[in-house]
Amino acid sequence: MSKKAVFLIIILGVMLALGGCASSDEGKEVITPQEKMITVGFSQLGAESDWRVANTESLKNSLSIDNNYILVFDDAQQKQDRQIIAIRKFIQQEVDCIVLAPVMEEGWDTVLTEAQNAGIPVIVVDRRVNVSDPSLYTAWVGSDFDREGKIACEWLNKYIEKKGISGDELNILGIQGTLGATAQIGRTNALLRSSKEYGWNIVEMVPADYAQTKAKEVMQQMLRKYSDINVVYCENDNEAIGAIEAIEEAGRTVGTDITAGEIMIISFDAARSGLEKVLEGKIALDVECNPLQGNEVDKIIKNVMAGKEFSKNTYVEESVFSADDTVQGLIIDNKAYSITKLTNEVLAGREY
Ligand code: AHR
């Protein structure tokens, strides 16, 4: 018996247990599934951050039994090899669709060709895949990481301008995400470009894999190595939290008054844990990276299955939050972005 059949039997059992049956004319109970269930294999790259946990939840909630899905979930624990193995298993299981949240951009051509040859559509979420032929994946849903980085850097440029600080006074430590991940590439490149343009000093760029403990260790080492760091550009909230812990344990203060010796923290994600630090004034700016991608993925899969139209690329909506209102808006690439000074009310509405 195929694994798919086993799943369907389990689902029918669940439907029976939940009373998902209809009565026939003779009064006998017969199962009448409304539509065919869609079997989806979801390869999630890991659980390294609060953002990732929220992203997994969002996908699991949308690709639920109630919503007509049978979800096969695999956590690759940050290893691309494990993602490739999971995709091959999904192909063997003859799933209807594969959802892939790739740990890095490169290295997907072979396995995605195998999925394509098996006739299985692949929806990429969050980070991107860099493949020789874009038809190797069906659609992508995620964030514009380069734009997120641009927002952070333009905010910093405006902020110091308003405070009368010149660019060459900035000594920035970059704590990067997982090297080769789209989120890292976009956010790092934006910082490097702006540093060149505005004459900021980059003391060092060090990866910490989006993980709190690793970022704390990196920050401890960097504080021992350099005494003049005044800005830390953290590529996610968990890294920012780790960096803050290290700075405070070293007896230094985080905040926006860099002329008084405070160290300014810039972060990405705007998860609840990060926003709490914004409210405390410990993260100066938090650029949102929206993990709630499940609804979009659900819509795309259903359209693909029904042979209807869908977008190849879908960007999720994102906001920007700051600890104070020195900079209230930015124009980037002819588009206006408002910066929300974080309040208790805004934080209360944050679900993850
Ligand atoms: O790819 C998105 C990034 O990955 C998020 O910023 C980070 O928190 C996550 O781990």
Short mmCIF file of all heavy atoms in Angstrom, two decimals, residues 45-53 55 78 102-103 125-128 143 145 148 177-178 181-184 187 209-211 235-239 268-271 287-291 293, ligand 1:
data_model
loop_
_atom_site.label_atom_id
_atom_site.label_comp_id
_atom_site.label_asym_id
_atom_site.label_seq_id
_atom_site.Cartn_x
_atom_site.Cartn_y
_atom_site.Cartn_z
N LEU A 45 13.66 24.72 6.76
CA LEU A 45 15.11 24.65 6.95
C LEU A 45 15.54 24.44 8.40
O LEU A 45 16.63 23.95 8.67
CB LEU A 45 15.78 25.88 6.36
CG LEU A 45 15.47 27.24 7.01
CD1 LEU A 45 16.50 27.58 8.07
CD2 LEU A 45 15.46 28.32 5.94
N GLY A 46 14.72 24.80 9.35
CA GLY A 46 15.13 24.62 10.75
C GLY A 46 14.21 25.35 11.70
O GLY A 46 13.05 25.64 11.38
N ALA A 47 14.74 25.62 12.89
CA ALA A 47 13.96 26.32 13.92
C ALA A 47 14.88 27.27 14.69
O ALA A 47 14.86 27.36 15.91
CB ALA A 47 13.33 25.31 14.87
N GLU A 48 15.72 27.98 13.90
CA GLU A 48 16.80 28.78 14.49
C GLU A 48 16.35 30.05 15.18
O GLU A 48 17.09 30.62 15.98
CB GLU A 48 17.85 29.11 13.41
CG GLU A 48 17.43 30.15 12.35
CD GLU A 48 16.43 29.65 11.30
OE1 GLU A 48 16.03 28.48 11.38
OE2 GLU A 48 16.06 30.45 10.42
N SER A 49 15.14 30.54 14.87
CA SER A 49 14.74 31.86 15.37
C SER A 49 13.26 31.90 15.69
O SER A 49 12.49 31.03 15.28
CB SER A 49 15.03 32.92 14.29
OG SER A 49 14.26 32.64 13.14
N ASP A 50 12.84 32.95 16.41
CA ASP A 50 11.41 33.14 16.69
C ASP A 50 10.66 33.30 15.38
O ASP A 50 9.53 32.85 15.23
CB ASP A 50 11.21 34.39 17.56
CG ASP A 50 11.84 34.22 18.94
OD1 ASP A 50 12.42 33.14 19.20
OD2 ASP A 50 11.76 35.16 19.75
N TRP A 51 11.29 34.00 14.44
CA TRP A 51 10.69 34.19 13.11
C TRP A 51 10.39 32.84 12.47
O TRP A 51 9.31 32.62 11.93
CB TRP A 51 11.68 34.98 12.24
CG TRP A 51 11.12 35.39 10.91
CD1 TRP A 51 10.61 36.62 10.59
CD2 TRP A 51 11.01 34.58 9.73
NE1 TRP A 51 10.19 36.61 9.28
CE2 TRP A 51 10.41 35.38 8.73
CE3 TRP A 51 11.34 33.27 9.41
CZ2 TRP A 51 10.15 34.91 7.44
CZ3 TRP A 51 11.07 32.80 8.13
CH2 TRP A 51 10.49 33.62 7.17
N ARG A 52 11.36 31.94 12.53
CA ARG A 52 11.21 30.64 11.85
C ARG A 52 10.06 29.84 12.48
O ARG A 52 9.29 29.19 11.79
CB ARG A 52 12.53 29.86 11.96
CG ARG A 52 12.57 28.55 11.21
CD ARG A 52 12.52 28.68 9.72
NE ARG A 52 13.49 29.63 9.21
CZ ARG A 52 13.42 30.21 8.01
NH1 ARG A 52 12.43 29.94 7.20
NH2 ARG A 52 14.33 31.07 7.63
N VAL A 53 9.98 29.90 13.82
CA VAL A 53 8.90 29.17 14.51
C VAL A 53 7.55 29.71 14.03
O VAL A 53 6.62 28.95 13.74
CB VAL A 53 9.08 29.30 16.04
CG1 VAL A 53 7.89 28.71 16.79
CG2 VAL A 53 10.38 28.63 16.48
N ASN A 55 6.92 31.19 11.20
CA ASN A 55 6.75 30.83 9.80
C ASN A 55 6.23 29.38 9.69
O ASN A 55 5.28 29.10 8.94
CB ASN A 55 8.11 30.99 9.09
CG ASN A 55 8.05 30.66 7.61
OD1 ASN A 55 8.62 29.67 7.17
ND2 ASN A 55 7.36 31.47 6.83
N GLN A 78 18.93 23.13 9.61
CA GLN A 78 19.93 24.00 8.96
C GLN A 78 20.81 23.30 7.93
O GLN A 78 21.80 23.87 7.49
CB GLN A 78 20.87 24.67 9.99
CG GLN A 78 20.19 25.40 11.10
CD GLN A 78 19.36 26.57 10.59
OE1 GLN A 78 19.80 27.31 9.71
NE2 GLN A 78 18.17 26.72 11.12
N PRO A 102 14.21 27.15 1.63
CA PRO A 102 15.61 26.73 1.44
C PRO A 102 16.58 27.43 2.39
O PRO A 102 16.49 28.64 2.58
CB PRO A 102 15.90 27.13 -0.01
CG PRO A 102 14.98 28.28 -0.27
CD PRO A 102 13.77 28.10 0.58
N VAL A 103 17.52 26.68 2.92
CA VAL A 103 18.49 27.26 3.85
C VAL A 103 19.41 28.25 3.14
O VAL A 103 19.83 29.25 3.73
CB VAL A 103 19.27 26.14 4.60
CG1 VAL A 103 20.14 25.32 3.66
CG2 VAL A 103 20.10 26.70 5.75
N VAL A 125 9.36 29.14 -0.37
CA VAL A 125 8.92 30.19 0.56
C VAL A 125 10.13 30.81 1.26
O VAL A 125 11.16 30.17 1.43
CB VAL A 125 7.92 29.67 1.63
CG1 VAL A 125 6.63 29.21 0.98
CG2 VAL A 125 8.51 28.56 2.47
N ASP A 126 9.96 32.06 1.69
CA ASP A 126 10.95 32.81 2.45
C ASP A 126 12.17 33.14 1.57
O ASP A 126 12.12 34.03 0.76
CB ASP A 126 11.31 32.06 3.74
CG ASP A 126 12.47 32.67 4.49
OD1 ASP A 126 12.68 33.88 4.36
OD2 ASP A 126 13.18 31.94 5.22
N ARG A 127 13.28 32.42 1.73
CA ARG A 127 14.49 32.69 0.93
C ARG A 127 14.28 32.16 -0.48
O ARG A 127 13.38 31.38 -0.72
CB ARG A 127 15.69 32.01 1.60
CG ARG A 127 15.84 32.46 3.04
CD ARG A 127 16.89 31.67 3.80
NE ARG A 127 16.84 32.04 5.21
CZ ARG A 127 17.53 31.43 6.16
NH1 ARG A 127 18.33 30.43 5.86
NH2 ARG A 127 17.43 31.83 7.43
N ARG A 128 15.18 32.54 -1.36
CA ARG A 128 15.04 32.14 -2.76
C ARG A 128 15.99 31.00 -3.11
O ARG A 128 16.92 30.71 -2.37
CB ARG A 128 15.32 33.33 -3.67
CG ARG A 128 14.20 34.37 -3.66
CD ARG A 128 14.53 35.47 -4.62
NE ARG A 128 13.46 36.45 -4.71
CZ ARG A 128 12.45 36.40 -5.59
NH1 ARG A 128 12.35 35.40 -6.44
NH2 ARG A 128 11.54 37.35 -5.63
N SER A 143 10.01 37.75 1.26
CA SER A 143 10.30 39.16 1.53
C SER A 143 11.35 39.69 0.57
O SER A 143 12.15 38.94 0.03
CB SER A 143 10.88 39.30 2.94
OG SER A 143 10.03 38.72 3.88
N PHE A 145 14.50 41.16 0.82
CA PHE A 145 15.52 41.34 1.85
C PHE A 145 16.46 42.50 1.55
O PHE A 145 16.96 43.16 2.46
CB PHE A 145 16.33 40.04 2.01
CG PHE A 145 15.47 38.86 2.37
CD1 PHE A 145 15.19 37.87 1.43
CD2 PHE A 145 14.94 38.73 3.64
CE1 PHE A 145 14.38 36.79 1.75
CE2 PHE A 145 14.13 37.66 3.97
CZ PHE A 145 13.86 36.68 3.03
N GLU A 148 14.69 45.53 2.65
CA GLU A 148 14.72 45.64 4.12
C GLU A 148 16.05 46.27 4.56
O GLU A 148 16.08 47.16 5.41
CB GLU A 148 14.60 44.25 4.76
CG GLU A 148 13.24 43.61 4.61
CD GLU A 148 13.19 42.17 5.14
OE1 GLU A 148 14.23 41.64 5.58
OE2 GLU A 148 12.11 41.57 5.09
N GLY A 177 23.55 36.81 9.06
CA GLY A 177 22.79 35.56 9.17
C GLY A 177 23.58 34.41 8.56
O GLY A 177 24.80 34.50 8.39
N THR A 178 22.90 33.35 8.19
CA THR A 178 23.55 32.18 7.58
C THR A 178 24.10 32.59 6.21
O THR A 178 23.34 33.07 5.35
CB THR A 178 22.50 31.06 7.39
OG1 THR A 178 21.90 30.80 8.66
CG2 THR A 178 23.12 29.80 6.83
N ALA A 181 22.32 32.61 2.49
CA ALA A 181 20.85 32.70 2.54
C ALA A 181 20.43 34.04 1.95
O ALA A 181 21.12 35.05 2.16
CB ALA A 181 20.38 32.61 3.99
N THR A 182 19.31 34.08 1.26
CA THR A 182 18.89 35.33 0.61
C THR A 182 18.77 36.47 1.61
O THR A 182 19.13 37.61 1.31
CB THR A 182 17.54 35.13 -0.12
OG1 THR A 182 17.58 33.88 -0.78
CG2 THR A 182 17.29 36.23 -1.13
N ALA A 183 18.27 36.16 2.80
CA ALA A 183 18.11 37.21 3.81
C ALA A 183 19.47 37.80 4.19
O ALA A 183 19.61 39.02 4.40
CB ALA A 183 17.41 36.65 5.05
N GLN A 184 20.47 36.96 4.28
CA GLN A 184 21.84 37.44 4.59
C GLN A 184 22.38 38.26 3.42
O GLN A 184 22.89 39.38 3.61
CB GLN A 184 22.76 36.24 4.90
CG GLN A 184 24.22 36.61 5.15
CD GLN A 184 25.04 36.66 3.87
OE1 GLN A 184 24.94 35.79 3.00
NE2 GLN A 184 25.86 37.70 3.73
N ARG A 187 20.54 41.75 3.12
CA ARG A 187 20.79 42.70 4.21
C ARG A 187 22.27 43.09 4.27
O ARG A 187 22.60 44.26 4.49
CB ARG A 187 20.32 42.08 5.54
CG ARG A 187 18.81 41.89 5.57
CD ARG A 187 18.35 41.00 6.70
NE ARG A 187 16.92 40.71 6.58
CZ ARG A 187 16.28 39.79 7.29
NH1 ARG A 187 16.93 39.05 8.17
NH2 ARG A 187 14.98 39.58 7.12
N ASP A 209 24.55 32.89 12.04
CA ASP A 209 23.49 31.93 11.67
C ASP A 209 22.11 32.25 12.22
O ASP A 209 21.32 31.32 12.47
CB ASP A 209 23.91 30.51 12.08
CG ASP A 209 25.19 30.09 11.40
OD1 ASP A 209 25.48 30.61 10.30
OD2 ASP A 209 25.93 29.25 11.96
N TYR A 210 21.81 33.50 12.47
CA TYR A 210 20.50 33.93 12.98
C TYR A 210 20.22 33.40 14.38
O TYR A 210 19.06 33.36 14.80
CB TYR A 210 19.35 33.50 12.04
CG TYR A 210 19.45 34.08 10.65
CD1 TYR A 210 19.75 33.28 9.55
CD2 TYR A 210 19.24 35.43 10.43
CE1 TYR A 210 19.83 33.82 8.27
CE2 TYR A 210 19.32 35.98 9.15
CZ TYR A 210 19.62 35.16 8.09
OH TYR A 210 19.69 35.69 6.83
N ALA A 211 21.25 32.95 15.08
CA ALA A 211 21.02 32.29 16.38
C ALA A 211 21.50 33.18 17.54
O ALA A 211 22.57 33.78 17.47
CB ALA A 211 21.75 30.96 16.41
N GLU A 235 21.39 40.86 11.76
CA GLU A 235 20.52 40.46 10.64
C GLU A 235 19.26 39.70 11.07
O GLU A 235 18.52 39.20 10.23
CB GLU A 235 21.33 39.74 9.57
CG GLU A 235 22.27 40.73 8.86
CD GLU A 235 23.03 40.17 7.68
OE1 GLU A 235 22.83 39.01 7.31
OE2 GLU A 235 23.88 40.92 7.13
N ASN A 236 18.99 39.61 12.37
CA ASN A 236 17.65 39.23 12.84
C ASN A 236 17.52 39.54 14.34
O ASN A 236 18.50 39.92 15.01
CB ASN A 236 17.28 37.77 12.52
CG ASN A 236 17.81 36.76 13.52
OD1 ASN A 236 18.70 37.05 14.31
ND2 ASN A 236 17.27 35.56 13.48
N ASP A 237 16.30 39.38 14.85
CA ASP A 237 16.04 39.75 16.25
C ASP A 237 16.77 38.87 17.24
O ASP A 237 17.23 39.34 18.29
CB ASP A 237 14.54 39.66 16.54
CG ASP A 237 13.78 40.87 16.01
OD1 ASP A 237 14.41 41.91 15.76
OD2 ASP A 237 12.55 40.78 15.87
N ASN A 238 16.86 37.56 16.96
CA ASN A 238 17.55 36.70 17.93
C ASN A 238 19.02 37.08 18.05
O ASN A 238 19.58 37.07 19.16
CB ASN A 238 17.37 35.23 17.57
CG ASN A 238 15.93 34.81 17.77
OD1 ASN A 238 15.11 34.97 16.86
ND2 ASN A 238 15.58 34.35 18.95
N GLU A 239 19.62 37.46 16.94
CA GLU A 239 21.01 37.93 17.00
C GLU A 239 21.08 39.24 17.81
O GLU A 239 22.00 39.42 18.63
CB GLU A 239 21.56 38.18 15.59
CG GLU A 239 21.78 36.90 14.81
CD GLU A 239 22.40 37.12 13.44
OE1 GLU A 239 22.39 38.28 12.96
OE2 GLU A 239 22.89 36.14 12.86
N PHE A 268 16.30 43.12 12.33
CA PHE A 268 15.29 42.73 11.33
C PHE A 268 14.40 41.64 11.92
O PHE A 268 14.85 40.85 12.75
CB PHE A 268 15.98 42.18 10.07
CG PHE A 268 16.85 43.20 9.38
CD1 PHE A 268 18.18 43.37 9.77
CD2 PHE A 268 16.34 44.00 8.38
CE1 PHE A 268 18.98 44.31 9.15
CE2 PHE A 268 17.14 44.94 7.74
CZ PHE A 268 18.47 45.10 8.13
N ASP A 269 13.21 41.58 11.48
CA ASP A 269 12.16 40.60 11.81
C ASP A 269 10.95 41.27 12.44
O ASP A 269 9.83 41.04 12.05
CB ASP A 269 12.60 39.46 12.76
CG ASP A 269 13.42 38.39 12.05
OD1 ASP A 269 13.61 38.51 10.83
OD2 ASP A 269 13.88 37.46 12.73
N ALA A 270 11.20 42.07 13.54
CA ALA A 270 10.08 42.63 14.29
C ALA A 270 9.17 41.54 14.83
O ALA A 270 7.94 41.65 14.79
CB ALA A 270 9.31 43.66 13.46
N ALA A 271 9.78 40.47 15.33
CA ALA A 271 9.03 39.46 16.08
C ALA A 271 8.75 40.06 17.47
O ALA A 271 9.40 41.05 17.85
CB ALA A 271 9.84 38.18 16.20
N VAL A 287 13.28 46.36 11.36
CA VAL A 287 12.60 46.30 10.06
C VAL A 287 11.86 44.96 9.98
O VAL A 287 12.49 43.90 10.13
CB VAL A 287 13.62 46.43 8.90
CG1 VAL A 287 12.90 46.41 7.56
CG2 VAL A 287 14.45 47.70 9.06
N GLU A 288 10.58 45.02 9.76
CA GLU A 288 9.79 43.79 9.78
C GLU A 288 10.13 42.86 8.62
O GLU A 288 10.34 43.30 7.48
CB GLU A 288 8.29 44.11 9.73
CG GLU A 288 7.45 42.85 9.82
CD GLU A 288 5.95 43.11 9.80
OE1 GLU A 288 5.52 44.13 9.24
OE2 GLU A 288 5.21 42.28 10.35
N CYS A 289 10.20 41.56 8.95
CA CYS A 289 10.26 40.51 7.95
C CYS A 289 9.06 39.63 8.30
O CYS A 289 9.01 39.05 9.37
CB CYS A 289 11.59 39.76 8.10
SG CYS A 289 11.82 38.43 6.91
N ASN A 290 8.07 39.61 7.43
CA ASN A 290 6.79 38.99 7.79
C ASN A 290 6.82 37.47 7.58
O ASN A 290 6.93 37.01 6.44
CB ASN A 290 5.70 39.65 6.93
CG ASN A 290 4.32 39.18 7.29
OD1 ASN A 290 4.15 38.25 8.08
ND2 ASN A 290 3.31 39.81 6.72
N PRO A 291 6.68 36.69 8.66
CA PRO A 291 6.74 35.23 8.50
C PRO A 291 5.39 34.59 8.15
O PRO A 291 5.32 33.39 7.90
CB PRO A 291 7.16 34.76 9.90
CG PRO A 291 6.58 35.78 10.83
CD PRO A 291 6.54 37.08 10.08
N GLN A 293 3.25 33.54 5.93
CA GLN A 293 3.19 33.29 4.49
C GLN A 293 2.22 32.17 4.12
O GLN A 293 2.01 31.88 2.95
CB GLN A 293 4.61 32.97 4.00
CG GLN A 293 5.56 34.14 4.22
CD GLN A 293 7.03 33.78 4.17
OE1 GLN A 293 7.39 32.60 4.10
NE2 GLN A 293 7.89 34.78 4.23
O1 AHR B 1 15.02 34.11 5.96
C1 AHR B 1 14.40 34.88 6.92
C2 AHR B 1 15.29 34.99 8.11
O2 AHR B 1 15.56 33.70 8.62
C3 AHR B 1 14.73 35.75 9.30
O3 AHR B 1 15.11 37.09 9.34
C4 AHR B 1 15.42 35.06 10.42
O4 AHR B 1 14.95 35.36 11.68
C5 AHR B 1 15.30 33.66 9.99
O5 AHR B 1 15.93 32.75 10.72
#
